Amino acid sequence: MDQPPISDYGFLSDCRSGALVGRDGSIDWWCPDRFDSPSVFGRLLDPAAGHWRLAPLAAGRVERAYRPDTLVLRTVHHTPDGSVAVTDALAAEPGARGHQLGMNSPAVLVRVVEGLSGRVRMHLDFAPRPEYGLLTPYLHEQPDGGVLATAGPVALHLRGTGRTLRVDDDRVTDTFEVAAGQRVGFDLAYAQVYGGRAARLDPVHALAETVRAWEGYRETHRYDGRYPAQVRHSAVVLTGLTYARSGAVAAALTTSLPERLSGDRNYDYRYSWLRDFAMTLRALWVAACPDEANRLFSWAARSIGRIGDAPVPVLFGLEGERDLSEHECAHLRGYADSRPVRIGNDAWRQRQLDVPGEVISAVWRLHDYLGTTFDVELREMVVGLAEQVATTWQLPDRGMWETRDTERHYLSSKVLCWLALDRAVELAPRLGDRADPRRWAAIRDEIRATVLREGWNDRIGAYTGAFGSAELDASALFLPVVGFLPATDPRMRSTIDVVERELGTDAGLVRRWNTDPAGFVLCSFWLVECLVLAGEEDRARALFDKVLAHANDLGLFAEQIDLRSGAQLGNTPQALSHIGLINAAWRLTEPSTD
């Protein structure tokens, strides 16, 4: 494999877009307009699809860490000639603090090189390739010593403090020396060719402003439970995946990183899944910050629109776009030759009955902060979702893992239908005249009885993935987490034991099903929660520590962990993995919390 491991990458964000920078100093992924826009650096998916490397000429030992409570990354290179630090960030708007972070991001990457000891020769290699590598830009040397790269709709202006950059055919290369105490900064500003001009920032000042902006944001989210460092960091990661202009949370920064090397389960996760609502809000503990909740629910209501007979899509674009039709980029090799590379996600077309349960559960969780009387859009959304569940819960669907074969009666989908109506009944006094709590309650009870009867498999001794199936599915662990059954219920206790025995591993990982070659990070944290709820807190804490050990050196999780190599797999950083971490840590802190 001629590409770095997924775990080699650090995450930068300005809450508009995100970038991935490797241990080798190469920025291999950046979609500058917003998270789901075309990349200008795409080496993550093909060696020829663009990058920006800034690192010593001589190889050496690498140490790196984020500035506390930020996504500003400092990488220290120790070489035979001395040591140098490179600090990278996506710049915040000057003066932005707290919840202003990301509202008007300037779309500027800043990199500052600082000599720590000796004299270190540095090398810069700048090769942008817009439109996922389809375009090779024109490069123009500028009077300010920088270089302007233009191709299609994209303009990128690269500048260096006190340096005159030179074009070398289809890229910019530069070699320079840094002595102890010296600093050299670079800023790379994005603009649309037919739009406004690229911003100009002083790299050193921009770094300091960005650190202050992140610190101001995190001051509004306090956590007093167990594993505070890991929880705070995961909350920062989730903030970094939040598209500030709408409040939508992207499922991940990337597209098409494979669930299995050389496999074809490579999907685009740069969109916002309604399914993640309740877990996300619980993880961020937005109860301490109601403005965020109101913005997020407003985004959801407007994205969904008036609810009719058609299934509500499980995902939307970051500004509420519904049609996310999928296509393949045949010109890209894919990460580690894992094809296809997909842009868009056809899961938006699927029927997934679990979606209303997550959304209504999120409203229920934060109802005290949404007012005694919900606004019209929020009322219409909750009532419309509840009515859709009441009329469609008996249909098959694709399930929470978004299978692309046949529809089935998935256990987790039915349980989330139960959750939708259970929470809607409780919310009914705030939903106006259209609420029908008596009917909803009757259907809720029917769903529960059906799940208990059809979801259990006597031969397996567990609730299985779908009605009538003998296939185990780790999504059954979700039942106690959402309060459908107590973990101490004999059948639920048996299910937990069977899942742990058959799908669990000595490394603390839990696979989604028997044929899955990788542990799914979220399911592993669900098992932690189940063990806490079953009264086995010591085992739960030991398991939690094992799962934590699979994060990379920057505390980042992708979607899955390969069982043989321990390598991270799937899109990264994965919101659900960090959501699972936070929720499991809180469960270990407050076992009775729902």
Side-chain angles (χ1 to χ4, degrees):
M1 187 173 72
D2 59 358
Q3 289 169 278
I6 291 170
S7 58
D8 266 17
Y9 287 104
F11 172 42
L12 311 177
S13 173
D14 57 8
C15 297
R16 162 182 171 168
S17 68
L20 292 180
V21 54
R23 292 176 61 85
D24 62 354
S26 182
I27 296 177
D28 290 348
W29 186 251
W30 187 33
C31 303
D33 196 39
R34 64 184 215 180
F35 293 117
D36 55 353
S37 65
S39 66
V40 296
F41 301 134
R43 191 165 76 165
L44 181 72
L45 298 177
D46 191 299
H51 66 278
W52 177 19
R53 189 169 187 266
L54 180 61
L57 277 171
R61 182 168 58 89
V62 173
E63 298 175 307
R64 58 184 185 167
Y66 286 113
R67 293 286 301 269
D69 293 332
T70 79
L71 291 178
V72 175
L73 179 62
R74 187 173 187 263
T75 303
V76 178
H77 301 268
H78 300 284
T79 78
D81 300 315
S83 296
V84 64
V86 179
T87 303
D88 297 320
L90 275 164
E93 181 187 11
R97 296 293 183 270
H99 291 89
Q100 298 170 337
L101 180 63
M103 290 296 187
N104 295 288
S105 296
V108 178
L109 270 168
V110 293
R111 315 190 76 176
V112 174
V113 183
E114 179 184 3
L116 302 178
S117 65
R119 301 184 70 87
V120 179
R121 287 183 62 76
M122 300 291 295
H123 183 69
L124 178 150
D125 182 16
F126 172 72
R129 299 291 183 266
E131 291 284 325
Y132 302 110
L134 282 173
L135 298 176
T136 300
Y138 293 104
L139 300 175
H140 306 279
E141 295 177 1
Q142 300 294 294
D144 63 1
V147 171
L148 179 65
T150 59
V154 173
L156 297 167
H157 198 159
L158 175 65
R159 289 163 284 221
T161 306
R163 302 206 58 74
T164 298
L165 301 174
R166 298 299 182 194
V167 173
D168 181 10
D169 192 21
D170 63 351
R171 63 189 60 221
V172 175
T173 59
D174 188 29
T175 301
F176 57 97
E177 193 171 79
V178 177
Q182 290 184 322
R183 286 192 298 193
V184 178
F186 296 90
D187 63 292
L188 175 64
Y190 160 81
Q192 296 176 340
V193 167
Y194 305 106
R197 299 184 62 182
R200 179 71 199 264
L201 301 178
D202 173 78
V204 174
H205 179 69
L207 275 179
E209 281 286 285
T210 302
V211 168
R212 284 193 288 268
W214 277 103
E215 290 174 343
Y217 191 96
R218 294 270 42 93
E219 285 174 2
T220 67
H221 292 72
R222 300 190 179 278
Y223 174 80
D224 298 319
R226 292 183 174 180
Y227 300 94
Q230 292 86 349
V231 167
R232 286 180 65 84
H233 179 57
S234 286
V236 170
V237 173
L238 291 179
T239 301
L241 289 170
T242 300
Y243 183 69
R245 294 179 183 179
S246 67
V249 180
L253 180 65
T254 57
T255 178
S256 300
L257 293 185
E259 296 179 12
R260 180 187 305 194
L261 294 182
S262 300
D264 63 356
R265 288 183 57 85
N266 318 319
Y267 301 118
D268 194 346
Y269 278 13
R270 298 173 299 160
Y271 309 111
S272 190
W273 267 251
L274 292 180
R275 176 189 297 118
D276 304 346
F277 248 53
M279 288 186 288
T280 302
L281 292 182
R282 178 173 175 242
L284 289 174
W285 214 246
V286 194
C289 197
D291 288 345
E292 280 182 2
N294 279 308
R295 284 206 322 125
L296 191 53
F297 286 123
S298 294
W299 170 83
R302 289 168 187 157
S303 299
I304 293 171
R306 288 189 176 273
I307 299 171
D309 296 332
V312 173
V314 67
L315 72 155
F316 291 91
L318 300 176
E319 294 182 356
E321 301 89 345
R322 179 172 290 221
D323 187 343
L324 303 176
S325 296
E326 190 175 288
H327 68 275
E328 297 179 4
C329 292
H331 67 285
L332 293 175
R333 287 174 47 184
Y335 177 82
D337 292 318
S338 300
R339 294 183 178 91
V341 171
R342 294 181 170 98
I343 305 301
N345 195 311
D346 274 344
W348 76 273
R349 304 176 190 273
Q350 296 181 354
R351 176 168 53 232
Q352 296 185 21
L353 299 178
D354 59 337
V355 174
E358 289 290 6
V359 178
I360 297 176
S361 176
V363 177
W364 171 82
R365 182 174 296 282
L366 295 176
H367 64 273
D368 286 342
Y369 295 90
L370 295 171
T372 56
T373 302
F374 293 168
D375 64 37
V376 173
E377 288 183 347
L378 185 56
R379 287 201 310 270
E380 288 296 310
M381 179 179 74
V382 174
V383 172
L385 290 173
E387 283 298 319
Q388 189 170 92
V389 168
T391 58
T392 64
W393 73 270
Q394 293 175 311
L395 297 175
D397 74 339
R398 301 286 184 175
M400 68 163 50
W401 307 131
E402 298 170 6
T403 59
R404 296 198 173 193
D405 51 10
T406 59
E407 293 185 336
R408 296 179 176 86
H409 293 282
Y410 285 99
L411 180 81
S412 58
S413 297
K414 306 304 184 188
V415 169
L416 267 293
C417 288
W418 169 87
L419 183 67
L421 296 181
D422 184 72
R423 301 302 190 249
V425 168
E426 295 192 31
L427 291 170
R430 305 185 188 208
L431 299 179
D433 295 339
R434 289 187 59 214
D436 194 354
R438 181 172 297 180
R439 173 169 160 268
W440 293 344
I443 298 173
R444 173 200 63 191
D445 296 343
E446 183 183 357
I447 296 171
R448 179 180 177 82
T450 303
V451 169
L452 295 175
R453 182 179 66 252
E454 303 293 338
W456 175 259
N457 186 300
D458 266 326
R459 185 172 65 83
I460 304 297
Y463 290 103
T464 55
F467 290 178
S469 172
E471 184 177 359
L472 280 175
D473 190 314
S475 62
L477 297 174
F478 206 39
L479 273 62
V481 173
V482 300
F484 181 84
L485 276 176
T488 52
D489 172 89
R491 285 188 169 185
M492 193 64 238
R493 176 71 256 195
S494 176
T495 300
I496 295 168
D497 291 341
V498 172
V499 168
E500 185 176 15
R501 182 178 68 246
E502 299 296 329
L503 301 182
T505 70
D506 291 339
L509 299 168
V510 177
R511 296 173 295 154
R512 283 177 291 179
W513 44 75
N514 278 313
T515 58
D516 200 341
F520 203 82
V521 176
L522 175 65
C523 296
S524 306
F525 285 125
W526 279 350
L527 180 56
V528 172
E529 291 201 63
C530 286
L531 291 176
V532 174
L533 292 169
E536 298 189 49
E537 188 173 322
D538 290 342
R539 280 217 303 135
R541 189 161 51 247
L543 177 62
F544 186 86
D545 290 337
K546 282 186 176 182
V547 182
L548 279 185
H550 294 287
N552 76 353
D553 59 317
L554 296 173
L556 299 176
F557 279 104
E559 184 179 37
Q560 300 186 70
I561 308 295
D562 185 85
L563 298 182
R564 289 176 295 179
S565 67
Q568 296 201 8
L569 294 171
N571 287 304
T572 193
Q574 177 76 211
L576 279 181
S577 298
H578 289 276
I579 288 166
L581 184 156
I582 295 172
N583 288 341
W586 184 244
R587 187 75 73 181
L588 283 162
T589 303
E590 296 286 346
S592 62
T593 190
D594 56 25

